[in-house]
Amino acid sequence: ALKLRAGDKHCLITRSKCFLKLGDTENSLKDAEASLQIDKTFPEGLYQKAETLYTMGDFEFALVFYHRGRRLRPDLHKFQLGINKAEEAIVNCLGNPSAVKLENTGELSFVSRQEELRRKKDKQQQQNKHTKDQKQTKKQSPKTEQQLLGELYADKAYLQKLLKDEDLMQSSTRQGIKVMDLVLDGISYLNHRRDFWQQQKPMYARVYERKLLQQGRKQDKKRKLSNIGRSIAKDMEDIELCLDRGSAEESCRKAERLLKKLQGWTEEEVPNKNELIGNLHSCIGNAHLAMGHMEAALHSHKMDLNFAKKNSLTDAVSRALDNIGHVYARMGHFQQAINAWEEKIPLAESSLEKAWLFHEIGRCYLELDKAEEAQDYGQKSLQSADEEGDVEWQLHATVLVAQAQVKLEDYRSAIMNFERALEKAKLVPSEAAQNGIIAALDNVSKRFIAELKKNQKDETTVSSER
């Protein structure tokens, strides 16, 4: 596929997922980054890069990209799940920040205290290492540790048994290395692997799976709850992937099929059933919108809104109002679009989200020939874009303000804003935007000159009459 269409971002992400399944994190990361070079705001690329970094153990960097993806697509629940597991993995590695206490006794005293600790460290290294391994072993129950280590659990038990042989521990190899050092290194390595595998599946995931397994024992053995969860997650991923690839009809068909299956399961089998039903209505609505079925899209998004309000799901309410506004705007029902988006304003979580929301409302007012309202919302959009420091949305907002000022016949202000927008377009950079702004600037300049000439002529006529 990549030979036929070099650099296709969807193909790159699919191959990246395959590399990740094979454990080839290096190539997985390369493909994910390649997709983002093509489109920096590609949600699947951001998510795949975050997943790969998480698998590599770079939890902090993974968290950055989970947050970046959630900021761009707050409607995708998988970014929030990624944030949760990355944060917990970081805490598992570093410990809880609240447990760290620093004394404010001056820099020199801090340095000297560190130097003293460093001198003592070499003397107590072997004793501390042994004690630490023993404490870590106590924290984990044998059953849990056996599940995490698998076949290596027997190796750790063997090494711990060797520690009890004092004569053997005092002996050395032909190379002069103490046997005790080798044994302790082996135990330490196994403890690190145990901790790493524990971080790869954080506590909230293990608790959730354990809950599902407990419920599964009471029900039919053939219907494993963990399998249901994995099946739903895979189906949801396929639905989103089909829509991203332009296969809206297939995405809609899969979503409707999953919705029918989901309605046959109980809330015990699927704890977040109502949330998933709303999400599927949203997916179906987006697919209908892509196919041009406006009424069907509107119906599905309103179903999503009803489920969200009924179950007090704030993020889902915000998502549904956003989608309803888009459908109304596509249908040319600009006032209904404004009503939906204005209801969403209190739910906007970031300045960037407010920037595009205010811009879309202002654009609708411009379509309704309500230039003053369009100008007000354009200025609000510009203010939010300035807070976020996003040049692209500064560009869009400035153009909207200028266009509203043209309709208000405030040509001097419009020219100034078009000139500002032109500078923003050079920073983005966007040649198409620059050409469009230059054409608009030329047009409004001609109007301004014509108005000046008319005013001058009128003044001359009045003077002559006097």
Side-chain angles (χ1 to χ4, degrees):
L2 286 167
K3 286 180 182 178
L4 294 171
R5 187 181 295 175
D8 183 90
K9 60 185 181 181
H10 299 293
C11 290
L12 286 168
I13 286 303
T14 308
R15 189 171 68 175
S16 175
K17 290 178 181 178
C18 293
F19 278 132
L20 192 59
K21 291 283 187 182
L22 291 169
D24 189 351
T25 52
E26 184 179 351
N27 281 318
S28 177
L29 187 61
K30 282 181 182 178
D31 278 350
E33 289 177 336
S35 74
L36 291 172
Q37 287 178 355
I38 299 163
D39 180 2
K40 292 182 180 179
T41 61
F42 183 38
E44 291 300 322
L46 290 169
Y47 182 73
Q48 185 59 21
K49 183 171 182 178
E51 286 286 282
T52 305
L53 289 168
Y54 180 83
T55 304
M56 295 169 74
D58 292 337
F59 304 122
E60 294 90 345
F61 288 113
L63 184 60
V64 169
F65 286 95
Y66 284 131
H67 273 294
R68 193 172 296 176
R70 185 179 182 277
R71 190 164 61 247
L72 289 169
R73 289 293 300 275
D75 55 310
L76 296 182
H77 190 54
K78 60 186 179 182
F79 283 117
Q80 184 58 55
L81 291 177
I83 290 169
N84 293 344
K85 70 180 183 182
E87 286 178 346
E88 186 161 348
I90 291 168
V91 171
N92 287 343
C93 286
L94 303 179
N96 194 321
S98 63
V100 180
K101 294 182 180 179
L102 297 178
E103 295 180 5
N104 188 16
T105 55
E107 291 181 353
L108 292 175
S109 61
F110 176 76
V111 172
S112 62
R113 187 164 62 254
Q114 294 299 309
E115 188 63 33
E116 184 181 350
L117 291 171
R118 196 177 292 112
R119 286 197 302 269
K120 290 180 179 180
K121 185 177 178 182
D122 292 336
K123 295 180 181 180
Q124 298 179 352
Q125 186 174 8
Q126 295 297 335
Q127 293 89 334
N128 289 345
K129 195 174 183 181
H130 191 189
T131 305
K132 183 180 176 183
D133 288 332
Q134 286 180 333
K135 286 182 179 178
Q136 287 180 343
T137 303
K138 289 178 182 178
K139 289 179 183 177
Q140 297 285 350
S141 68
K143 187 176 180 181
T144 303
E145 194 170 53
Q146 188 171 5
Q147 289 176 346
L148 290 168
L149 288 175
E151 294 178 357
L152 296 177
Y153 182 77
D155 295 332
K156 184 178 178 183
Y158 175 73
L159 291 173
Q160 288 175 328
K161 186 178 179 181
L162 289 180
L163 282 175
K164 297 177 181 178
D165 191 335
E166 295 181 2
D167 293 334
L168 179 61
M169 291 302 100
Q170 296 302 319
S171 62
S172 302
T173 64
R174 293 180 181 178
Q175 290 77 22
I177 303 172
K178 281 191 174 183
V179 173
M180 176 181 279
D181 291 342
L182 293 172
V183 172
L184 291 174
D185 284 343
I187 293 173
S188 177
Y189 169 79
L190 291 173
N191 284 338
H192 285 145
R193 297 313 299 168
R194 176 200 64 201
D195 294 341
F196 175 77
W197 287 323
Q198 186 175 18
Q199 291 152 11
Q200 286 292 80
K201 182 174 277 192
M203 186 61 68
Y204 78 91
R206 295 198 304 277
V207 170
Y208 180 70
E209 285 187 359
R210 187 159 59 247
K211 181 180 177 181
L212 291 180
L213 289 172
Q214 288 171 352
Q215 291 173 349
R217 293 190 191 101
K218 299 175 184 178
Q219 300 172 5
D220 188 0
K221 292 182 180 180
K222 293 180 181 179
R223 180 173 287 174
K224 299 272 186 177
L225 295 185
S226 57
N227 290 339
I228 291 175
R230 281 194 292 269
S231 174
I232 290 172
K234 184 181 182 304
D235 288 343
M236 291 298 295
E237 188 176 354
D238 288 344
I239 289 164
E240 290 178 4
L241 195 58
C242 285
L243 189 60
D244 289 340
R245 287 176 171 173
S247 304
E249 190 174 347
E250 186 181 356
S251 175
C252 184
R253 191 165 52 249
K254 287 186 174 184
E256 288 174 343
R257 192 183 304 134
L258 179 58
L259 182 60
K260 188 178 288 186
K261 285 167 61 179
L262 197 61
Q263 288 169 343
W265 287 323
T266 65
E267 289 188 6
E268 288 184 352
E269 291 172 311
V270 185
N272 56 339
K273 179 180 175 180
N274 289 326
E275 185 179 350
L276 284 169
I277 288 174
N279 202 349
L280 283 169
H281 281 301
S282 177
C283 292
I284 293 168
N286 290 334
H288 279 303
L289 182 63
M291 292 186 286
H293 304 159
M294 300 302 169
E295 293 294 340
L298 189 60
H299 173 74
S300 293
H301 288 310
K302 284 184 175 179
M303 290 286 287
D304 179 25
L305 182 61
N306 290 336
F307 267 92
K309 287 183 175 179
K310 185 178 178 181
N311 295 283
S312 302
L313 302 170
T314 306
D315 288 345
V317 170
S318 179
R319 173 190 67 208
L321 289 170
D322 178 22
N323 289 326
I324 288 170
H326 279 298
V327 176
Y328 274 131
R330 284 277 296 274
M331 294 171 75
H333 299 166
F334 298 113
Q335 188 57 56
Q336 288 94 324
I338 289 169
N339 295 340
W341 280 328
E342 285 184 339
E343 188 179 346
K344 175 185 164 67
I345 290 172
L347 305 176
E349 294 184 348
S350 66
S351 297
L352 184 62
E353 189 176 3
K354 288 178 182 177
W356 67 255
L357 185 57
F358 290 145
H359 176 271
E360 295 303 300
I361 295 172
R363 180 64 57 190
C364 286
Y365 274 122
L366 199 64
E367 293 289 342
L368 292 171
D369 286 328
K370 295 182 178 181
E372 288 186 6
E373 290 87 345
Q375 182 180 228
D376 290 342
Y377 272 104
Q379 288 168 345
K380 288 180 181 179
S381 176
L382 182 58
Q383 183 181 350
S384 297
D386 287 340
E387 289 174 6
E388 189 68 25
D390 191 290
V391 179
E392 190 171 348
W393 279 106
Q394 289 171 352
L395 166 63
H396 296 321
T398 307
V399 169
L400 175 61
V401 171
Q403 289 173 331
Q405 288 167 342
V406 171
K407 288 208 171 189
L408 292 168
E409 297 184 357
D410 183 2
Y411 299 127
R412 188 186 298 275
S413 298
I415 289 170
M416 291 173 60
N417 278 306
F418 274 129
E419 287 175 346
R420 291 191 189 105
L422 186 58
E423 294 302 315
K424 300 291 183 186
K426 290 175 182 177
L427 293 173
V428 170
S430 172
E431 188 175 345
Q434 289 178 53
N435 293 335
I437 293 167
I438 290 169
L441 192 56
D442 182 55
N443 184 40
V444 74
S445 298
K446 288 177 181 177
R447 290 191 189 185
F448 185 48
I449 292 168
E451 184 183 50
L452 289 174
K453 287 180 178 178
K454 183 183 176 183
N455 292 338
Q456 188 176 10
K457 185 177 179 181
D458 292 342
E459 287 174 5
T460 303
T461 303
V462 171
S463 298
S464 299
E465 290 176 352
R466 287 177 181 176

